Amino acid sequence: MAAAEAAGSGGSPALSSGGEEPPAGPESPAEEAVSAGPSAGFRLTAVRREPAVRLQHGVSGLEPLAWSEDHRVSVSTARSIAVLEQLSDIHSGGQELVIHRTAVPAPAAGCLLKVGSKKEVAECKEKFASSKDPTVSQTFMLDRVFNPEGKSLPPMRGFKYSSWSPLGCDANGRCLLAALTMDNRLTIHANLNRLQWVQLVDLTEVYGERLYETSYKLSKVETSRGELGDFAEFQRRHSMQTPVRMEWSGICTTQQVKHNNECRDVGSVLLAVLFENGNIAVWQFQLPFVGKESITSCNTIESGINSPSVLSWWEYEHNNRKMSGLIVGSAFGPVKILPVNLKAVKGYFTLRQPVVLWQEMDQLPVHSIKCIPLYHPYQKCSCSLVVAARGSYVFWCLLLISKAGLNVHNSHVTGLHSLPIVSMTADKQNGTVYTCSTDGKVRQLIPIFTDVALKFEHQLIKLSEVFGSVRTHGIAVSPCGAYLAVITTEGMTNGLHPVNKNYQVQFVTLKTFEEAAAQLLESSVQNLFRQVDLTDLVRWKILKDKHIPQFLQEALDKKIESCGSTYFWRFKLFLLRILYQSMQKTPSEVMWRPSYEDTKVLISDSPGMGSTEDDHQEEGTSKQTSKQSLCEVSKGTEPDDPADDTLAHSSDLGGHEPMEEKLLEIQARIEAVEMHLTREHMKRVLGEVYLHTWITENTSIPTRGVCDFLMSDEGYDDRTARVLIGHILKKMNKQTFPEHCSLCKEILPFTDRKQAVCSNGHIWLRCFLTYQSCQSLVYRRCLLHDSIARHPTPEDPEWIKRLLQGPCTFCDSPVF
């Protein structure tokens, strides 16, 4: 690529304000200011979402809150990393957020960095501790890197920082969690069975072994620095292994040539680890990451920055070329981009030389850096927005590649907070940045492009108007920008500080239902699981109003007619399921209520007992109430008397169809959508069978049964499916290859898409990905318990293994 030079520090100055909010211009994407309370002049209202999750321990480290792409929130605490997974539950009628909580415990043993042999290290520690030079002995005794056990000092427990990988890095296609403890142990964890986190590798141990093998030299030409008995060398070896921050890159895809000259895509991801001495170790992992054997390489870069504090990946796409670099910030103030040379990664480009974004040593430490890819509407090209929290200010830098090279425009946004910024997060979809200070004030910064560079409209969100008096310790925005997670403790009451601190993770909305629905309809991702925060807003609205808004139904029907993508059918299925749940009453409202129907029947049928007209009227009322309660619990009975339609307003009491009929109608619509999605996936499975099988080849997929199932419905007239089935039947050459029951060896007919029943009554559930009967005690299930799938076996060919890696065909959830 062209040489990257800074074009200057010009550009449009950022807006600065005092106590009043700046007026929003007509070009602003969010035209009004943000308020926590209702106001006619504000477009966005921050609304509290229940529940608030109480933490068992206090938070620790810098930026203790992080939100992953697969909708898991990690909170670094003094004893563990609390992980809160947001689910858009289709089986619950409650309006609260559905959160699945797990934890990554802190290691029980302390971390000792490997700076030499055990005997040599023990001798040096004793020598330094008993040194008569106080600059040596006191420095050694008080440095927690040298003495993580602490002895008389409090133990270094807890986590310093955590970072989520991109989606698709673990064995289930989800995110990995890199965790850095207070005693400098860097580990990578995966949640493979949803209930337990597993440590895959200890990178601190691996890196220490590599340095020990090379005698703590980064290159072969580097001369030896001295013996471990020298205190300066002892400090150097610790400093080059003490992590400060770590960040994941995006996924790189390369092609690998196999022995039969076939090409297969191999994914890899990079993890950059910033050390105390300014060095950066760039780890390359092959995907899916399963452990130490997945480590491809490790390269160390010397940044030349003193007292490094934070780093972030710079990833830029220009003319179909992807370029990367590392943005490093210092505790003294400077910020610069470093090139990352990785020759082993094909199609990977980087800078020719470092680019300084801010060079003043102004003693304003860089606390956090975010890099946001954007599109410049005036220059008609891609650009990168780099924002960094420095004290109470936000430093921004716009990077734009032109024919002259790399253009750099930078400035500072002032007047945001009266206290230093403790946390910063960014919505990478629209470039909105959020900052917070400890006084409970959050600022929303919206970038607005100008002819030369950009400016910011910043607006205030007062959390005190949402949660009351609180202190904030960290914020994180959801992947699609629908929610803001906030760590809070009690604030001052009547001028007094609270006696105890209760740390909580609370959630506020950043989008309205209409904005979430529009974003789902126009989504380029077309995956419901990757947009759980948006679907949860839609779910909340339907459960509150007990109906699907008309504009959403009409827009979705138009999308289905014009596009026909299965994504919109899955979205329709989601809406119908939530509508069905909104019409159900919770069991606590129904199950405890006594039924008087039997009592009334006994009284009326008893001999010698007369009944007046009032008794008959009371009996009918009781029967109606009891049957209505029963039909709300069970779907299989039909009431004889009409009940009020909960979809309508309570004031409209006349001419409504019974509730049970409404439920049956929605259930029939759900079944129809599920059948459509099943047929579409069956066509995909049959297409894979046709492409990857020879004549009369038997596979684990019940091909003939799937074909017969598709052709059995006379009302299903899909010419594509009929042509495909004709080609497959011709290739099968009159062979059927039926499935057999493993218990009685009888044939398993394919009459149901969900289960297979043999003639002796043995029932086996079917895998929703391959439609094979799961005749084993162990199988997988999707995240929302929507469907089941079998485990891949070593005998399965690659194309079947690819099918088994797919998400749920109904809800897009991963399968465990």
Side-chain angles (χ1 to χ4, degrees):
M1 57 167 287
E5 296 291 345
S9 57
S12 173
L15 293 180
S16 123
S17 68
E20 297 182 356
E21 295 297 317
E27 56 189 341
S28 172
E31 297 177 0
E32 305 294 341
V34 178
S35 173
S39 178
F42 293 140
R43 180 183 171 189
L44 177 64
T45 301
V47 180
R48 181 177 182 172
R49 283 286 274 133
E50 296 291 346
V53 182
R54 183 170 180 176
L55 301 175
Q56 296 176 343
H57 307 283
V59 297
S60 61
L62 301 174
E63 294 284 355
L65 203 59
W67 205 318
S68 70
E69 292 182 9
D70 59 353
H71 302 277
R72 291 185 285 191
V73 180
S74 63
V75 189
S76 301
T77 70
R79 291 294 182 269
S80 64
I81 294 181
V83 181
L84 313 175
E85 181 176 6
Q86 182 187 4
L87 301 176
S88 189
D89 196 356
I90 57 175
H91 307 293
S92 171
Q95 296 183 18
E96 297 83 8
L97 284 170
V98 181
I99 295 176
H100 180 258
R101 183 169 181 170
T102 53
V104 181
C111 176
L112 295 174
L113 301 179
K114 189 175 182 61
V115 294
S117 62
K118 291 184 179 181
K119 180 180 179 182
E120 189 179 9
V121 170
E123 293 175 354
C124 290
K125 286 187 174 183
E126 184 178 356
K127 171 187 173 182
F128 298 143
S130 59
S131 175
K132 295 182 179 180
D133 185 356
T135 60
V136 174
S137 59
Q138 294 184 16
T139 302
F140 173 79
M141 295 299 294
L142 295 177
D143 197 316
R144 300 308 300 272
V145 177
F146 304 151
N147 300 284
E149 63 275 2
K151 294 185 179 179
S152 60
L153 298 175
M156 293 285 288
R157 294 203 63 183
F159 287 86
K160 186 187 303 184
Y161 189 66
S162 63
S163 178
W164 290 99
S165 75
L167 193 64
C169 290
D170 74 350
N172 292 323
R174 303 197 69 184
C175 298
L176 297 168
L177 179 63
L180 177 61
T181 60
M182 297 295 287
D183 58 0
N184 305 306
R185 187 195 303 270
L186 176 58
T187 53
I188 297 179
H189 302 261
N191 182 216
L192 301 178
N193 59 3
R194 289 203 66 223
L195 299 178
Q196 182 182 9
W197 286 87
V198 179
Q199 178 180 310
L200 300 181
V201 68
D202 185 343
L203 290 181
T204 299
E205 179 183 350
V206 176
Y207 193 68
E209 291 290 343
R210 293 193 174 208
L211 289 177
Y212 180 74
E213 293 173 359
T214 60
S215 300
Y216 300 91
K217 295 185 294 185
L218 298 180
S219 62
K220 296 180 180 180
V221 297
E222 184 179 350
T223 58
S224 179
R225 298 293 185 94
E227 298 298 329
L228 187 61
D230 184 5
F231 190 62
E233 176 65 14
F234 187 82
Q235 287 178 311
R236 186 186 77 90
R237 293 188 184 184
H238 278 88
S239 178
M240 67 191 305
Q241 296 182 68
T242 305
V244 177
R245 289 285 182 97
M246 66 284 179
E247 294 294 342
W248 296 88
S249 73
I251 294 178
C252 310
T253 303
T254 59
Q255 283 195 334
Q256 186 181 68
V257 181
K258 297 170 29 178
H259 296 293
N260 57 358
N261 290 330
E262 289 184 359
C263 292
R264 72 184 185 102
D265 291 334
V266 177
S268 63
V269 69
L270 305 176
L271 178 66
V273 183
L274 178 65
F275 293 103
E276 194 177 69
N277 67 342
N279 291 348
I280 302 174
V282 181
W283 297 86
Q284 183 179 0
F285 304 133
Q286 184 174 340
L287 300 179
F289 185 82
V290 294
K292 190 175 180 180
E293 60 273 18
S294 298
I295 298 176
T296 304
S297 64
C298 178
N299 298 279
T300 303
I301 303 171
E302 296 185 28
S303 68
I305 290 184
N306 297 323
S307 297
S309 58
V310 66
L311 87 161
S312 178
W313 281 93
W314 173 66
E315 294 178 324
Y316 186 91
E317 187 169 353
H318 176 68
N319 291 338
N320 296 324
R321 278 185 162 188
K322 293 184 179 180
M323 289 167 283
S324 294
L326 283 169
I327 310 170
V328 184
S330 169
F332 297 146
V335 181
K336 70 177 181 179
I337 303 180
L338 300 175
V340 180
N341 295 309
L342 294 177
K343 297 180 181 179
V345 181
K346 297 180 180 178
Y348 181 93
F349 300 91
T350 187
L351 300 170
R352 290 185 178 179
Q353 57 189 8
V355 176
V356 177
L357 304 182
W358 185 257
Q359 60 182 358
E360 297 296 331
M361 303 279 286
D362 49 15
Q363 304 302 316
L364 284 177
V366 183
H367 173 76
S368 178
I369 296 178
K370 303 295 179 184
C371 183
I372 310 165
L374 296 174
Y375 180 78
H376 203 297
Y378 296 100
Q379 302 294 333
K380 306 296 182 183
C381 63
S382 301
C383 60
S384 295
L385 175 63
V386 178
V387 289
R390 304 178 68 242
S392 58
Y393 313 117
V394 170
F395 165 77
W396 65 266
C397 183
L398 185 66
L399 304 175
L400 189 71
I401 291 182
S402 64
K403 295 180 179 179
L406 181 64
N407 299 318
V408 179
H409 302 271
N410 58 18
S411 185
H412 281 80
V413 185
T414 61
L416 297 175
H417 298 277
S418 58
L419 296 175
I421 296 172
V422 296
S423 184
M424 182 175 68
T425 184
D427 182 358
K428 293 190 175 181
Q429 293 196 348
N430 56 16
T432 305
V433 180
Y434 299 89
T435 61
C436 82
S437 54
T438 57
D439 56 0
K441 293 181 180 178
V442 176
R443 285 279 181 176
Q444 180 191 46
L445 284 80
I446 303 172
I448 303 173
F449 285 98
T450 62
D451 294 337
V452 181
L454 56 80
K455 61 180 181 179
F456 283 92
E457 294 284 355
H458 45 94
Q459 303 156 359
L460 181 64
I461 304 175
K462 291 184 179 180
L463 295 181
S464 60
E465 299 181 12
V466 183
F467 304 128
S469 178
V470 293
R471 296 176 65 88
T472 51
H473 304 271
I475 57 175
V477 67
S478 62
C480 297
Y483 287 110
L484 185 72
V486 189
I487 300 178
T488 63
T489 54
E490 296 86 348
M492 296 182 66
T493 304
N494 298 327
L496 299 175
H497 290 282
V499 178
N500 299 315
K501 282 187 177 182
N502 296 315
Y503 289 87
Q504 289 183 323
V505 180
Q506 307 203 61
F507 299 90
V508 294
T509 62
L510 298 175
K511 292 182 183 291
T512 62
F513 160 74
E514 291 78 11
E515 292 172 335
Q519 193 168 336
L520 285 168
L521 290 172
E522 302 298 331
S523 171
S524 60
V525 178
Q526 297 206 344
N527 185 293
L528 294 178
F529 171 71
R530 297 183 65 177
Q531 304 174 95
V532 165
D533 51 344
L534 297 176
T535 59
D536 185 78
L537 282 178
V538 175
R539 170 182 170 271
W540 186 28
K541 175 72 172 178
I542 296 176
L543 289 176
K544 282 195 304 182
D545 297 348
K546 299 185 182 300
H547 74 276
I548 303 173
Q550 188 67 27
F551 84 92
L552 179 57
Q553 292 191 43
E554 295 175 355
L556 186 57
D557 291 340
K558 288 181 180 179
K559 287 287 185 181
I560 291 176
E561 292 177 4
S562 61
C563 180
S565 171
T566 55
Y567 164 74
F568 297 110
W569 284 93
R570 291 191 295 272
F571 189 22
K572 183 177 182 178
L573 176 62
F574 170 79
L575 297 179
L576 290 173
R577 285 172 163 177
I578 300 303
L579 177 61
Y580 188 88
Q581 289 296 329
S582 70
M583 301 174 68
Q584 303 288 321
K585 286 191 177 180
T586 56
S588 61
E589 297 178 56
V590 182
M591 299 300 291
W592 63 269
R593 186 181 300 157
S595 173
Y596 300 100
E597 182 179 359
D598 296 337
T599 305
K600 292 294 182 181
V601 170
L602 289 174
I603 292 175
S604 63
D605 291 343
S606 298
M609 296 293 293
S611 61
T612 63
E613 184 179 350
D614 294 339
D615 292 335
H616 284 297
Q617 185 177 359
E618 183 181 359
E619 176 186 346
T621 306
S622 176
K623 284 184 180 181
Q624 176 180 343
T625 305
S626 176
K627 289 191 176 184
Q628 182 179 351
S629 301
L630 288 174
C631 80
E632 287 166 349
V633 179
S634 174
K635 310 171 190 174
T637 59
E638 292 185 6
D640 297 329
D641 300 317
D644 290 342
D645 188 355
T646 58
L647 289 179
H649 298 287
S650 58
S651 58
D652 303 330
L653 299 178
H656 287 195
E657 56 186 345
M659 173 65 71
E660 182 63 19
E661 293 183 8
K662 195 72 175 177
L663 290 173
L664 291 176
E665 177 190 347
I666 298 175
Q667 186 67 33
R669 294 172 64 187
I670 291 175
E671 289 286 342
V673 177
E674 287 183 352
M675 182 59 69
H676 176 83
L677 291 171
T678 300
R679 287 167 175 161
E680 291 298 315
H681 186 67
M682 282 182 173
K683 286 163 57 178
R684 183 195 166 199
V685 172
L686 292 178
E688 294 289 333
V689 171
Y690 179 74
L691 290 175
H692 296 95
T693 56
W694 299 93
I695 296 177
T696 65
E697 180 181 352
N698 188 13
T699 65
S700 60
I701 296 176
T703 307
R704 187 58 183 260
V706 173
C707 293
D708 293 342
F709 183 83
L710 282 177
M711 300 291 289
S712 60
D713 189 358
E714 297 180 356
Y716 178 62
D717 187 15
D718 190 329
R719 187 176 182 277
T720 304
R722 295 186 181 276
V723 171
L724 178 61
I725 290 173
H727 286 297
I728 290 177
L729 294 181
K730 184 177 180 181
K731 181 179 283 191
M732 293 182 68
N733 197 17
K734 298 183 181 180
Q735 298 291 330
T736 58
F737 301 120
E739 292 182 291
H740 292 83
C741 178
S742 60
L743 297 179
C744 61
K745 308 304 178 184
E746 291 292 328
I747 292 179
L748 290 173
F750 199 112
T751 56
D752 193 337
R753 58 187 174 89
K754 294 183 179 180
Q755 62 183 16
V757 185
C758 73
S759 58
N760 291 326
H762 299 136
I763 302 176
W764 306 102
L765 298 177
R766 288 199 178 275
C767 167
F768 73 94
L769 293 173
T770 63
Y771 299 104
Q772 180 187 5
S773 57
C774 297
Q775 301 190 46
S776 63
L777 299 178
V778 181
Y779 51 82
R780 301 178 297 156
R781 200 163 191 176
C782 91
L783 185 66
L784 299 182
H785 293 179
D786 211 358
S787 308
I788 72 158
R790 71 175 180 88
H791 285 276
T793 60
E795 298 80 19
D796 288 331
E798 288 295 328
W799 62 276
I800 290 185
K801 291 180 179 179
R802 284 198 304 270
L803 280 175
L804 292 173
Q805 290 174 356
C808 178
T809 55
F810 295 144
C811 61
D812 288 329
S813 299
V815 185
F816 294 89

